[in-house]
Amino acid sequence: MEEFVVLVNPEDEVLGLMEKQQAHINGLLHRAFSVFLFNSKGEMLLQKRASGKYHSPNQWTNAVCSHPREDETYIDGARRRLQEELGIEANLSEKFNFIYKADVGGGLWEHELDHVFVGDYEADFHLNQEEVEEVRFISIEDLDQEMAEHPEHFTAWFKIILEEYKHHF
C-alpha cells in the first residue's frame, strides 16, 4: 500500500498530498511527529530501525518518528505508530514543534514540520519486526557519549530532534 504524507507550508497549512518516498526524494516540507518515551529512571527509549527500511536501516532513533495521515491529528498519528511499531499505548503530551531538514543519504531528505511528544512507559513491548529491530533504554549522559563516539549509529533526524529537545528542557 502506498503511503502519502501531508505537504504543508511553514505555517502548517495543507498544500496537498504526495507519496512518501517521492516527498523524501524532493525534500518537500511535510507533517511529522516524534515521540520520546522515558522509564521511571528517566532513561530514554531508543528503537533500532529494521534492516529492511528503505532509508536509515539498522540505525538507532527515538521511540517513534512518523507522519500523520490525511485528516489525522498529530497526536492520533503518534498513538497509532506506537501501536503499529512497538505494540504499546502510552499517555503522550505535546511539548513543541519545529521545522528541520536532514540529508538521510541515498538522495533522500527529511524536511519536516515535526511535532514532538513525550510520555512515560514501563511495561512490555510487542515489536513489529518489519519496523523495529530492537529497543533499549539509555540515560541521556550515556546517549550523549555514544552519539559522540559513534554518530553513524544514529539517524540524522534523531541527532537534530534530540538537540532541539534539550533546548526545550
Side-chain angles (χ1 to χ4, degrees):
M1 179 176 104
E2 275 192 322
E3 285 188 59
F4 291 84
V5 296
V6 179
L7 302 178
V8 293
N9 67 17
E11 288 73 44
D12 201 19
E13 296 167 337
V14 176
L15 303 176
L17 298 177
M18 182 175 280
E19 191 277 324
K20 181 172 74 170
Q21 191 166 358
Q22 192 61 50
H24 291 153
I25 290 168
N26 294 342
L28 297 177
L29 183 63
H30 57 277
R31 288 181 173 168
F33 53 80
S34 298
V35 177
F36 287 89
L37 292 178
F38 295 89
N39 64 17
S40 60
K41 298 179 206 170
E43 296 170 321
M44 181 185 290
L45 180 73
L46 299 182
Q47 72 147 277
K48 188 175 188 181
R49 290 171 56 84
S51 59
K53 299 294 277 183
Y54 77 91
H55 72 76
S56 310
N58 297 312
Q59 288 186 315
W60 290 99
T61 197
N62 52 294
V64 169
C65 291
S66 193
H67 311 95
R69 293 178 174 151
E70 182 182 24
D71 299 324
E72 181 178 52
T73 65
Y74 287 96
I75 187 80
D76 287 343
R79 289 184 183 124
R80 173 179 52 81
R81 289 306 287 175
L82 280 176
Q83 189 61 237
E84 291 172 356
E85 293 186 26
L86 304 177
I88 66 169
E89 293 180 11
N91 288 328
L92 300 176
S93 59
E94 184 171 350
K95 296 302 182 182
F96 62 93
N97 64 76
F98 76 114
I99 294 174
Y100 73 92
K101 191 170 188 178
D103 182 349
V104 297
L108 302 173
W109 293 86
E110 288 286 8
H111 188 192
E112 298 184 333
L113 172 57
D114 191 30
H115 285 245
V116 178
F117 297 90
V118 174
D120 297 313
Y121 189 76
E122 203 72 43
D124 293 330
F125 297 93
H126 306 282
L127 303 181
N128 177 345
Q129 295 296 312
E130 291 180 9
E131 298 286 341
V132 182
E133 199 79 24
E134 63 181 289
V135 294
R136 64 182 166 124
F137 283 99
I138 189 171
S139 71
I140 297 295
E141 296 78 20
D142 289 346
L143 176 58
D144 287 342
Q145 182 176 343
E146 195 173 318
M147 283 182 119
E149 292 173 1
H150 298 286
E152 71 280 4
H153 292 179
F154 298 90
T155 63
W157 65 88
F158 178 48
K159 296 171 199 170
I160 295 168
I161 296 165
L162 182 61
E163 284 308 307
E164 190 71 21
Y165 176 86
K166 289 176 182 178
H167 288 299
H168 284 84
F169 297 98

